[in-house]
Amino acid sequence: MASRPRSAARTGTLTRTAPVIGACLALGLLAATPVGHAAVQPAGAATPVPVTVLNNDFAQPAFTAVTSANPYAWSVGSTVGTGTANGIWRWPADIAGHPDGLTTAMLRLPGEATYGLKQRLRGVRAGARVTVTYDESPSVSNYCTAAALEQGQTYTVQGEGGALTDRTTLPTTEKLPSNYWKPAWRTGVTLTFIAGANEPLLTFTSTVPAAQNNSGYCGPLITNVRAVQEPPPVDKTIPAGALPASEAFLGNDRNTTASAVSYCNGAANRCTFTTEEDYSFSYYAPARVAAETYLNCTRNTLNRVRPVATANRSYGDLPAAAGLPGTGTGTPTIMAQQYTQGTGFAPAWNTTQERSVTEIVQPAEASWIETQAARRRTEGWYTATTKATDPNSDWRLHTVLDHPSTDLSDRIYQRTGPMTAPEKQRCQSDRPNAPTPVGATSPAGAER
């Protein structure tokens, strides 16, 4: 007997056991079966879909006069929380003069690390083609000089993964009776980039020089920020043992996966799991040879019952506390329950089974068993709102899990084919028999 995959095969015989398992009857048919992972979908097939930009007109928290209170969902400078105090100014609609009556943010001082206005574009995946659209105007502040506005005002905008882009607003040269400068709104300004990370950071930063920004009281205005994306194609070629790492965010700030797990696993209703349906799928793992190859060196058809043992494990990189994938058969952890509630799946994270297969082997043929594990890959987000008023306190944990399927059955194939040349020689070799005794007084020897 031998324990190796075959280099050639002729026909196979389907053997059904409980539960019923599918198989194909010939090698050619097997090649047409969706074994393993499908290829990456062709590029350019994606349809643009909206991306949520939170508080895109900077109206929250509500205000009535010019304020330095930072807007919800946006960070200034650091991405931790709402960032640097007084990092920007916000202008009410009656002063900003936007044609649609929107409130606006005024970029304050140069320096992305201290004054950059930032938000992560939620739901955008690495590799997506993102188009951001917004409206811009030079400042209307009465602290601005005519010289500061007559050439327009400069700033940069960047989507994570894309190039830093220099922009200049339209100029303005007219003051209103209120002594504020008259705005010069340019609407529908766009920025297109390829996301270099999941939930890429969008950043606006003033580059108005010190001589013209009056200590941060004169800077360009931004509002009506919106975005669309062309999501990247699903990649089904990634093996279960090489899944992308989980990522955690608290508001606009990257955080540790362990911290997110600790929060979600603290109470049953803390986090909600939502599947990314376009990137989740059931599939069959590549076929594997189970146990030994059986060679029929006899002149008769052989029937034999052989046990076939299979094991199917789960993959994921969340800390052990999450119980995903779980081990053992104890009560599921809180995050496992959240996964089940969000997906409708209650997988057995690690399975072992033993089935009896009736094997039929024709004379001068080799027979072996192959198994294909049915699997489910799920991408999704654990999310939690901890403060209803400010999304900068929201937890988001992206993860990929790969576990035994709950909607497909494993497959078992009986495979037969002609023997290889060495196998034929072995079947035709002399029997390892003891020599016939020479005489009645000479006992048979034990040598072979």
Side-chain angles (χ1 to χ4, degrees):
M1 297 193 180
S3 298
R4 55 169 173 75
R6 304 288 299 177
S7 59
R10 185 161 60 83
T11 60
T13 302
L14 168 63
T15 302
R16 294 186 179 272
T17 61
V20 175
I21 44 179
C24 63
L25 300 179
L27 184 62
L29 183 56
L30 177 62
T33 305
V35 178
H37 301 285
V40 179
Q41 295 176 357
T47 300
V49 295
V51 174
T52 298
V53 180
L54 300 172
N55 197 17
N56 74 326
D57 61 356
F58 309 99
Q60 299 298 323
F63 67 105
T64 55
V66 178
T67 179
S68 61
N70 286 331
Y72 290 153
W74 295 85
S75 298
V76 181
S78 167
T79 55
V80 179
T82 52
T84 306
N86 302 326
I88 65 168
W89 292 89
R90 292 190 294 145
W91 294 79
D94 59 337
I95 299 176
H98 187 275
D100 294 328
L102 300 179
T103 54
T104 66
M106 187 186 82
L107 306 178
R108 186 180 175 194
L109 288 166
E112 175 271 332
T114 306
Y115 295 104
L117 178 63
K118 306 174 181 181
Q119 183 178 143
R120 291 198 178 276
L121 298 178
R122 302 188 182 194
V124 174
R125 299 173 61 89
R129 180 181 176 87
V130 183
T131 299
V132 176
T133 306
Y134 60 94
D135 303 341
E136 64 174 25
S137 172
S139 184
V140 297
S141 171
N142 54 7
Y143 285 91
C144 295
T145 64
L149 302 174
E150 63 186 4
Q151 301 298 322
Q153 291 191 292
T154 59
Y155 67 96
T156 61
V157 58
Q158 184 175 29
E160 187 174 359
L164 185 68
T165 303
D166 294 309
R167 296 283 167 86
T168 303
T169 71
L170 295 170
T172 188
T173 57
E174 180 182 349
K175 273 199 169 183
L176 300 173
S178 61
N179 203 36
Y180 291 113
W181 288 92
K182 184 178 180 179
W185 283 101
R186 179 189 281 136
T187 60
V189 181
T190 62
L191 171 75
T192 299
F193 66 98
I194 303 300
N198 288 334
E199 305 224 330
L201 203 61
L202 174 67
T203 305
F204 296 93
T205 308
S206 171
T207 55
V208 176
Q212 296 179 352
N213 66 41
N214 200 349
S215 300
Y217 287 88
C218 180
L221 305 180
I222 300 292
T223 194
N224 198 22
V225 184
R226 58 265 194 214
V228 297
Q229 65 163 323
E230 297 174 28
V234 57
D235 186 354
K236 295 184 178 180
T237 66
I238 300 173
L243 301 177
S246 297
E247 295 180 275
F249 303 91
L250 181 59
N252 293 318
D253 190 45
R254 287 188 176 273
N255 212 294
T256 65
T257 299
S259 296
V261 167
S262 177
Y263 182 84
C264 289
N265 218 27
N269 297 323
R270 275 191 175 178
C271 291
T272 300
F273 185 85
T274 303
T275 304
E276 285 193 290
E277 296 291 350
D278 289 343
Y279 296 90
S280 301
F281 51 92
S282 296
Y283 69 99
Y284 282 102
R288 300 179 62 183
V289 175
E292 72 281 353
T293 298
Y294 195 83
L295 308 178
N296 185 357
C297 292
T298 75
R299 301 173 183 177
N300 304 305
T301 298
L302 297 181
N303 292 338
R304 64 190 294 261
V305 176
R306 80 150 88 181
V308 178
T310 59
N312 207 356
R313 59 162 291 189
S314 296
Y315 295 85
D317 71 341
L318 293 180
L324 294 167
T327 56
T329 57
T331 302
T333 64
I334 287 174
M335 289 185 70
Q337 293 171 341
Q338 292 165 352
Y339 177 80
T340 296
Q341 290 169 358
T343 62
F345 301 134
W349 298 106
N350 297 284
T351 63
T352 57
Q353 298 182 63
E354 186 168 306
R355 305 172 175 90
S356 293
V357 175
T358 301
E359 191 171 28
I360 302 173
V361 191
Q362 301 297 328
E365 283 196 341
S367 175
W368 68 100
I369 299 294
E370 293 180 4
T371 62
Q372 267 191 299
R375 303 195 60 80
R376 169 73 184 180
R377 180 164 302 176
T378 303
E379 289 202 32
W381 291 87
Y382 284 91
T383 57
T385 299
T386 63
K387 187 187 297 184
T389 57
D390 190 357
N392 270 311
S393 300
D394 289 355
W395 277 105
R396 303 186 307 287
L397 172 62
H398 181 263
T399 194
V400 184
L401 298 175
D402 198 299
H403 56 72
S405 176
T406 60
D407 57 354
L408 295 176
S409 298
D410 291 347
R411 288 170 168 171
I412 292 180
Y413 304 85
Q414 181 197 347
R415 303 288 299 279
T416 63
M419 296 182 188
T420 64
E423 290 167 349
K424 290 178 180 178
Q425 289 178 354
R426 180 68 192 133
C427 285
Q428 295 167 2
S429 65
D430 291 337
R431 287 178 294 164
N433 212 18
T436 302
V438 173
T441 60
S442 302
E447 293 183 2
R448 295 287 189 264

